[in-house]
Amino acid sequence: MQILLYISDFIVPFIVLGIVTYALLVGVNVYETFIKGAKSGFLTVIRLMPTLIGLMAAVGILRASGFLDFLSSVVGQFSSYIGFPGELVPLTVVKMFSSSAATGLLLDVFKEFGTDSRLGLIASISMCCTETIFYTMSVYFMTAGVKRSRYTLAGALLATFAGLAASVFLAGAMSLGL
């Protein structure tokens, strides 16, 4: 086990060194190529900044206004019938917009209910089984210049609900020791 820890410490530097060595052998100007890539990445960040700021502001407004608590109480009445706890509705909604904000809500769930509770397990698994739909769509579609998303949102929402169902099922199986 100790050898794996030692290897894992050096794997990334070895990969970078391997790429640079290969590029030099092939005759690529490594520094110039790196600068072009860094410039392109920086320009992409500049183009994405308004979208990111808007999404973060929207999530902050939802949390501060109490709308997420209201939504939790309304949707939670119906979601409890299918086995999904209403307390996790805000986490699910926020995760569709921002993974970092959802992580903050996840920590709140852990503090209130515990990490090994049914809610803690469902929340943990759902964070892994779902995607930041609106963030991903806005960033990637804007970067690629896509104007019509067709069925992307419907497919992403369907995949999110499948991930939520899987998280409820897996948490139940884990609590039963299966």
Side-chain angles (χ1 to χ4, degrees):
M1 187 63 169
Q2 198 67 8
I3 188 76
L4 290 177
L5 292 173
Y6 185 73
I7 290 172
S8 68
D9 287 340
F10 291 103
I11 194 78
V12 172
F14 281 138
I15 289 173
V16 170
L17 182 65
I19 292 170
V20 170
T21 304
Y22 177 75
L24 290 173
L25 290 174
V26 175
V28 174
N29 186 340
V30 177
Y31 181 74
E32 184 178 311
T33 305
F34 173 78
I35 296 299
K36 282 182 185 176
K39 181 180 178 184
S40 173
F42 185 72
L43 292 175
T44 301
V45 168
I46 298 274
R47 283 196 323 264
L48 296 177
M49 196 63 68
T51 303
L52 296 176
I53 291 170
L55 284 171
M56 294 306 230
V59 168
I61 290 169
L62 286 175
R63 279 188 87 177
S65 69
F67 179 75
L68 288 178
D69 295 329
F70 169 74
L71 185 67
S72 175
S73 64
V74 171
V75 176
Q77 295 172 355
F78 301 106
S79 68
S80 62
Y81 292 123
I82 59 172
F84 190 78
E87 296 87 355
L88 298 182
V89 170
L91 175 70
T92 303
V93 171
V94 169
K95 173 67 174 173
M96 291 183 202
F97 292 93
S98 168
S99 186
S100 58
T103 302
L105 289 177
L106 178 68
L107 294 176
D108 292 344
V109 168
F110 288 164
K111 286 178 189 170
E112 187 173 343
F113 301 103
T115 56
D116 291 334
S117 67
R118 180 174 181 269
L119 286 174
L121 290 173
I122 293 172
S124 296
I125 297 169
S126 72
M127 286 289 287
C128 299
C129 292
T130 58
E131 178 60 59
T132 52
I133 298 169
F134 298 105
Y135 168 79
T136 305
M137 284 179 61
S138 63
V139 167
Y140 291 121
F141 285 175
M142 189 180 84
T143 302
V146 175
K147 301 290 184 216
R148 294 183 44 172
S149 62
R150 295 195 50 107
Y151 304 110
T152 305
L153 181 59
L157 289 172
L158 182 64
T160 296
F161 291 128
L164 294 173
S167 66
V168 170
F169 174 77
L170 291 172
M174 289 173 68
S175 63
L176 294 175
L178 300 176

